Amino acid sequence: MTTPKITFIGAGSVVFTQGLLADLFAFPELKNAHISLHDIDPERLATAEAAARHIAARLGASPRVTAHTDRRESLADADFVINIVQVGMVEATRVDFDVPARHGLRQTIGDTLGIGGIFRALRTFPLLKALGEDIAAVCPEAWLLNYTNPMAMNVQYLTQATGLTRVVGLCHSVYWTMRGLSDLLQVPYEEVTYRAAGVNHQAWVLRFEHDGADMYPRLDALIAEDEQLRRRVRVDMYRRLGYYPTETSEHSSEYVPWYLHHDGEVERLRLPVGAYLDIVEENVREYEKTRDALAAGAPLDVEGTLEYAPQIIHSVVTGTPRTVYGNVPNHGLIDNLPAHGVVEVPCLVDALGVQPTHVGALPPQLAALNRAYLSMNDLVVRAALEDDPRHIRHAAMADPATAATLPVERIWALCDDMVRAHADRLQPSLRALLGT
């Protein structure tokens, strides 16, 4: 595989595409890869193509760059497929926040669990099914590297609905958590060793060492001295559960029933309700800035992002072994979580591909939270696989933060309102309104 073909699905997410390309072209062995870009938006696709050529020139790479509005054409004979699609874009994200807010439900990010996660998944599943069918038809040996949230639901659906086996979900939360903890404790990241496991956006740092010494006692001492550190959800969870969570406080607050429902906790822990809407608007501004700069021939910043997908591609192409964190079907990797659920574990990557690590059993308090997360995920996936709109409501009822906020009749009414708002993006069998 001297010149791998790498297909980007949703390449019009230009800012993220730029970072991935900068990472890819930083490897000498990938400078001549075939970069195949796909998007349904011609303007965004053209911007992505111009950005790819600009980044290649800046980094001294000579890839073959092609752009396609036809997905199968873009996928044909691909070795790797990177999925970064966001179905519905800004408009759908606003719906995910505005409709629940009218029912009194608070969300911060809304892309993993809760009402936002449920409906982001349901409007993504039809695309994933079609993508899986295309991969099976024109590049069946390709590795599908998924970045699209909700990660665990999407990977579970992909593997169960399409039968694809070379699927791994990628997220940077473990890496940046460990970077952040290393900086906080003033130890070089390159010198620490760690192991994390759990589910995406709710994994746990099970070991954290420097020079063979456990770093948790030092973290405990720092937290005890710093009141502001104690005003973070992830620190509050760590103090009570005994293991540090691998996702931001904004994310973490949505996956448990303890914080967002309570005004005092929102204030104490400085939770930015609706924060993701600001992020989405900033992403649009960054895209427009990039588009305009390319059109004017102005230089662009070319910075890598240290994402896992380029590292995986490099390891498979060259045989270079490395460890990444991946989201894959459990199948016994974590003993006390459901076998069919998608878990986040360390994975060896080399010429044989992505090989997940058996972790064993999580501490019971962590497994309890992860099982609640995976149970909700399973109901969402079953809604789509079994054409059962009742399971959408069951998933919302099982969601910890939603159940802590709304009585069951209002949960069902909220689901009806969300179905109405997203109807054209859902598979037809899930568009039924069920009342209360």
Side-chain angles (χ1 to χ4, degrees):
M1 199 187 300
T2 55
T3 55
K5 180 177 179 180
I6 306 163
T7 297
F8 286 71
I9 303 297
S13 301
V14 173
V15 176
F16 195 50
T17 299
Q18 283 180 264
L20 291 172
L21 289 171
D23 287 343
L24 285 167
F25 296 150
F27 291 113
E29 298 89 345
L30 301 179
K31 288 182 180 290
N32 297 320
H34 178 182
I35 304 299
S36 176
L37 305 171
H38 165 72
D39 204 278
I40 61 173
D41 184 324
E43 181 201 277
R44 281 183 168 267
L45 180 60
T47 302
E49 181 181 7
R53 297 187 186 281
H54 176 86
I55 293 166
R58 287 282 299 275
L59 296 180
S62 302
R64 177 186 174 196
V65 178
T66 59
H68 313 266
T69 54
D70 183 281
R71 187 173 58 229
R72 280 208 177 189
E73 182 180 274
S74 182
L75 287 166
D77 299 320
D79 299 295
F80 303 93
V81 179
I82 299 176
N83 180 41
I84 49 179
V85 167
Q86 183 179 346
V87 176
M89 299 291 286
V90 178
E91 176 191 352
T93 300
R94 288 198 186 101
V95 169
D96 288 345
F97 279 86
D98 291 347
V99 174
R102 292 200 294 269
H103 285 260
L105 186 65
R106 291 168 172 161
Q107 299 178 101
T108 50
I109 306 297
D111 71 351
T112 302
L113 291 186
I115 296 299
I118 290 169
F119 281 89
R120 180 180 279 236
L122 292 173
R123 67 176 184 264
T124 304
F125 287 169
L127 175 279
L128 295 180
K129 186 173 184 181
L131 174 61
E133 291 169 351
D134 286 349
I135 289 173
V138 301
C139 56
E141 298 302 310
W143 279 95
L144 174 54
L145 310 178
N146 179 70
Y147 277 103
T148 296
N149 284 319
M151 181 64 68
M153 281 191 249
N154 285 342
V155 173
Q156 182 178 343
Y157 179 83
L158 269 166
T159 55
Q160 293 186 356
T162 71
L164 295 179
T165 57
R166 291 189 167 192
V167 179
V168 59
L170 302 177
C171 176
H172 55 206
S173 61
V174 171
Y175 172 80
W176 287 112
T177 292
M178 300 315 302
R179 277 277 185 185
L181 286 175
S182 298
D183 290 346
L184 190 64
L185 297 180
Q186 298 182 334
V187 294
Y189 169 79
E190 293 75 16
E191 297 178 8
V192 303
T193 55
Y194 58 88
R195 171 170 283 196
V199 294
N200 183 239
H201 291 171
Q202 198 187 64
W204 316 94
V205 180
L206 303 176
R207 293 181 61 182
F208 176 30
E209 299 173 359
H210 179 247
D211 286 340
D214 184 2
M215 289 287 98
Y216 268 141
R218 284 185 57 182
L219 180 60
D220 293 341
L222 190 62
I223 290 170
E225 296 170 359
D226 190 336
E227 180 185 359
Q228 296 307 308
L229 271 180
R230 297 195 296 274
R231 295 185 66 196
R232 298 181 184 178
V233 163
R234 68 198 309 194
V235 172
D236 194 74
M237 291 178 66
Y238 163 59
R239 293 174 66 206
R240 300 173 194 282
L241 296 168
Y243 296 87
Y244 200 77
T246 63
E247 191 45 83
T248 65
S249 293
E250 292 82 4
H251 275 281
S252 296
S253 68
E254 294 188 307
Y255 314 145
V256 294
W258 313 317
Y259 301 115
L260 283 170
H261 179 54
H262 305 285
D263 293 344
E265 291 295 83
V266 171
E267 180 179 357
R268 176 176 77 91
L269 299 167
R270 301 170 292 185
L271 286 170
V273 175
Y276 190 65
L277 289 175
D278 293 334
I279 296 171
V280 168
E281 296 294 345
E282 178 59 27
N283 288 341
V284 172
R285 288 191 290 271
E286 283 297 313
Y287 162 72
E288 292 172 346
K289 180 180 175 182
T290 298
R291 177 199 62 198
D292 295 345
L294 289 166
L300 290 178
D301 291 333
V302 179
E303 296 183 4
T305 55
L306 302 175
E307 287 286 351
Y308 286 138
Q311 297 176 51
I312 289 173
I313 293 169
H314 181 260
S315 286
V316 175
V317 169
T318 66
T320 304
R322 51 169 55 91
T323 298
V324 304
Y325 277 79
N327 293 272
V328 294
N330 188 14
H331 299 329
L333 299 171
I334 298 179
D335 296 341
N336 49 353
L337 293 184
H340 59 272
V342 169
V343 296
E344 190 165 58
V345 295
C347 301
L348 168 67
V349 191
D350 58 19
L352 296 178
V354 179
Q355 302 154 69
T357 300
H358 175 253
V359 172
L362 293 178
Q365 69 274 25
L366 309 183
L369 291 178
N370 285 172
R371 281 196 295 267
Y373 174 121
L374 291 177
S375 292
M376 200 220 76
N377 283 4
D378 190 53
L379 287 164
V380 179
V381 173
R382 284 177 179 272
L385 294 180
E386 299 173 9
D387 295 313
D388 188 347
R390 292 177 60 88
H391 281 331
I392 299 174
R393 283 76 179 169
H394 299 155
M397 292 164 63
D399 176 66
T402 303
T405 305
L406 300 178
V408 68
E409 286 191 0
R410 289 178 61 193
I411 291 174
W412 280 55
L414 169 55
C415 289
D416 273 5
D417 284 350
M418 290 293 286
V419 167
R420 288 188 189 95
H422 284 306
D424 291 345
R425 300 186 180 99
L426 306 180
Q427 64 194 60
S429 60
L430 299 183
R431 298 175 187 176
L433 303 177
L434 302 183
T436 58

